Amino acid sequence: MKGVRNIYHHSYTFLLVFFVMILFRPAFSLSTLSSTESLTISSNRTLVSPGNIFELGFFRTNSRWYLGMWYKKLSGRTYVWVANRDNPLSNSIGTLKISNMNLVLLDHSNKSVWSTNLTRENVRSPVVAELLANGNFVVRDPSGFLWQSFDYPTDTLLPEMKLGYDLKTGLNRFLVSWRSSDDPSSGDFSYKLDIQRGLPEFYTFKDNTLVHRTGPWNGIRFSGIPEEQQLSYMVYNFTENSEEVAYTFLVTNNSIYSRLTINFSGFFERLTWTPSLVIWNPIWSSPASFQCDPYMICGPGSYCDVNTLPLCNCIQGFKPLNVQEWDMRDRSSGCIRRTRLSCRGDGFTRMKNMKLPETTMATVDRSIGVKECEKKCLSDCNCTAFANADIRDGGTGCVIWTGRLDDMRNYVADHGQDLYVRLAPADLVSSFS
Ligand SMILES: *[C@@H]1O[C@H](CO)[C@@H](O)[C@H](O)[C@H]1NC(C)=O
Ligand SMILES: *[C@@H]1O[C@H](CO)[C@@H](O)[C@H](O)[C@H]1NC(C)=O
Ligand SMILES: *[C@@H]1O[C@H](CO)[C@@H](O)[C@H](O)[C@H]1NC(C)=O
Ligand SMILES: *[C@@H]1O[C@H](CO)[C@@H](O)[C@H](O)[C@H]1NC(C)=O
Ligand SMILES: *[C@@H]1O[C@H](CO)[C@@H](O)[C@H](O)[C@H]1NC(C)=O
Ligand SMILES: *[C@@H]1O[C@H](CO)[C@@H](O)[C@H](O)[C@H]1NC(C)=O
Ligand SMILES: *[C@@H]1O[C@H](CO)[C@@H](O)[C@H](O)[C@H]1NC(C)=O
């Protein structure tokens, strides 16, 4: 009998311990903040993503405090996200907690310096904040995500994050550089998808001035970033449909860290962590050429070639608009046609390995190929040039330009793509004859 009672006794103890564990489970969870908990600067508590890759908490720089995220295991802090970049805490009193359904960051006087700003109805309890394995910091209720940090990037694109438009909500996710190496506040440079123009393209802005185009997506990469090679550990995806227009990348090996960032000198870089060297290795950066990559370095109707002197060249069949300026090396006025298009008997000159011109005035038809594209261009008297929309499988799709041809450059073989520029019959023959 005694033995039986002992077994019962042990079972009760076991059950009690079990229930206590269940009851206090949230307190032990590393990645979740429940509605009754808070993160404070003084407690030093952080959230750690499952898999131990990312850590979220407070950090200090320049005597200011920020809520941010970094890689847990890497030496030296690399911040991938900052919540209150433009509204820091001025002293070491700060609290992150869930208030109503919102995640709020409170300062020493309990004033909100940052909030997820949700106003949605029908939110169910419990609402929790959770740091996911991929570095997405989410606020969710039992039915799904209410808010996610992936929709509000800082200067960094992590694998699985999307850069560009969610057409259902109208949200455009873009990157803004830090101001300096120790100041996360919004800097001068932004890297942004533009879909208001003909073809989706990413642009780098300094303040609000366009300083660089990546060129449109050509099925493999952005035509203006030829350095983006297929890497063995990476998959790229540019999606364009009725729901979204966005770029994303995935790393196929979990032990490799790679990110894209717009740095405060205005470069868009891919960096991959190289454990043997203990550094973030720059895989490529854009702009790559200070000579030929700045926006409109050569005027309309001309293109930049790093291997010629001067760098700017008129398209075949074009001549400088202002010869004197051109010869004084002021290339901004660009080149014009020797012979105006009359829309009869026109043909094309093929320019190889080109960064495609500014797509403001371009339209795309993905259903036809290069031969039909040529016909379509000839049948539209306003068409000035055409190219394939996608260079895979020998080239598919059709982009048609009307009006000026701006911001072009060429590359060495295997980079860029063919551009066909429309010329009047008189200019189709060599200008030397
Ligand atoms: C938090 O960290 C600071 C600096 O490392 C230390 O001085 C302080 O005692 C820590 N606080 C707690 C509650 O652990
Ligand atoms: C801030 O709020 C907390 C919790 O509600 C409270 O304990 C604290 O006294 C408040 N601090 C100030 C300065 O109002
Ligand atoms: C919340 O709204 C404030 C005021 O409109 C804004 O400054 C802040 O950036 C918003 N926060 C987020 C996370 O969007
Ligand atoms: C890219 O992502 C979209 C949306 O997630 C998916 O439907 C499509 O199959 C992906 N394309 C490639 C080439 O992976
Ligand atoms: C993933 O990367 C690690 C570290 O570079 C390497 O040791 C491992 O073999 C890779 N795994 C696969 C499946 O490629
Ligand atoms: C920005 O990126 C460029 C190109 O990779 C690099 O040369 C430069 O040092 C970077 N600047 C900073 C501040 O990291
Ligand atoms: C060509 O351009 C002119 C002037 O911009 C415009 O009025 C006309 O509709 C265009 N034609 C076609 C076929 O797009």
Side-chain angles (χ1 to χ4, degrees), residues 180-181 261-271 282-287:
S180 68
S181 61
T261 197
I262 175 93
N263 75 23
F264 59 85
S265 342
F267 288 87
F268 185 56
E269 305 181 277
R270 174 169 294 287
L271 298 148
I283 304 297
W284 56 258
S285 67
S286 164

Side-chain angles (χ1 to χ4, degrees), residues 62-73:
N62 271 335
S63 345
R64 297 193 176 101
W65 287 89
Y66 299 88
L67 178 75
M69 194 189 304
W70 55 87
Y71 291 90
K72 168 113 181 113
K73 289 186 286 197

Side-chain angles (χ1 to χ4, degrees), residues 7-23:
I7 289 169
Y8 271 104
H9 185 76
H10 282 302
S11 307
Y12 277 126
T13 314
F14 177 74
L15 276 176
L16 192 69
V17 168
F18 185 71
F19 278 119
V20 165
M21 274 174 69
I22 284 191
L23 209 58

Side-chain angles (χ1 to χ4, degrees), residues 93-117:
I93 300 167
T95 308
L96 179 74
K97 63 176 199 176
I98 292 166
S99 169
N100 296 319
M101 60 180 151
N102 276 296
L103 200 53
V104 291
L105 181 55
L106 304 175
D107 70 4
H108 59 96
S109 59
N110 284 347
K111 189 168 85 44
S112 165
V113 297
W114 177 86
S115 153
T116 50
N117 290 348

Side-chain angles (χ1 to χ4, degrees), residues 327-339:
D327 287 344
M328 291 165 84
R329 302 282 187 266
D330 175 0
R331 311 278 151 167
S332 55
S333 55
C335 305
I336 53 162
R337 293 174 183 280
R338 290 176 184 276
T339 313

Side-chain angles (χ1 to χ4, degrees), residues 57-238:
F58 291 97
F59 68 95
R60 189 178 67 162
T61 167
N62 271 335
S63 345
R64 297 193 176 101
W65 287 89
Y66 299 88
L67 178 75
M69 194 189 304
W70 55 87
Y71 291 90
K72 168 113 181 113
K73 289 186 286 197
L74 300 191
S75 55
R77 285 275 180 94
T78 303
Y79 297 103
V80 295
W81 184 72
V82 181
N84 57 322
R85 66 186 309 184
D86 291 314
N87 219 356
L89 298 163
S90 50
N91 59 31
S92 60
I93 300 167
T95 308
L96 179 74
K97 63 176 199 176
I98 292 166
S99 169
N100 296 319
M101 60 180 151
N102 276 296
L103 200 53
V104 291
L105 181 55
L106 304 175
D107 70 4
H108 59 96
S109 59
N110 284 347
K111 189 168 85 44
S112 165
V113 297
W114 177 86
S115 153
T116 50
N117 290 348
L118 295 170
T119 52
R120 217 161 88 181
E121 312 271 309
N122 308 325
V123 172
R124 295 196 285 146
S125 279
V127 172
V128 297
E130 184 174 359
L131 180 57
L132 306 182
N134 59 6
N136 196 5
F137 187 39
V138 304
V139 179
R140 59 173 174 79
D141 76 357
S143 57
F145 295 172
L146 304 171
W147 179 91
Q148 52 179 337
S149 65
F150 273 17
D151 280 341
Y152 301 92
T154 305
D155 65 339
T156 301
L157 193 78
L158 295 171
E160 299 182 33
M161 278 175 86
K162 287 177 175 177
L163 203 59
Y165 276 90
D166 178 337
L167 297 174
K168 286 174 293 176
T169 59
L171 184 79
N172 187 16
R173 314 166 194 94
F174 59 92
L175 307 178
V176 178
S177 67
W178 281 33
R179 182 144 296 283
S180 68
S181 61
D182 59 358
D183 183 354
S185 68
S186 298
D188 291 337
F189 294 95
S190 56
Y191 190 80
K192 218 180 252 191
L193 183 69
D194 191 335
I195 54 168
Q196 312 307 327
R197 308 181 184 227
L199 259 188
E201 267 196 64
F202 282 94
Y203 294 94
T204 304
F205 294 94
K206 180 175 190 192
D207 298 320
N208 288 314
T209 306
L210 174 53
V211 291
H212 180 245
R213 292 167 56 229
T214 54
W217 182 255
N218 63 21
I220 297 174
R221 63 178 83 92
F222 294 101
S223 75
I225 310 184
E227 299 80 13
E228 176 83 309
Q229 299 300 320
Q230 300 292 46
L231 300 172
S232 56
Y233 51 85
M234 200 121 42
V235 182
Y236 314 101
N237 186 333
F238 185 76

Side-chain angles (χ1 to χ4, degrees), residues 232-233 252-256 275:
S232 56
Y233 51 85
T252 50
N253 182 334
N254 277 339
S255 53
I256 294 176

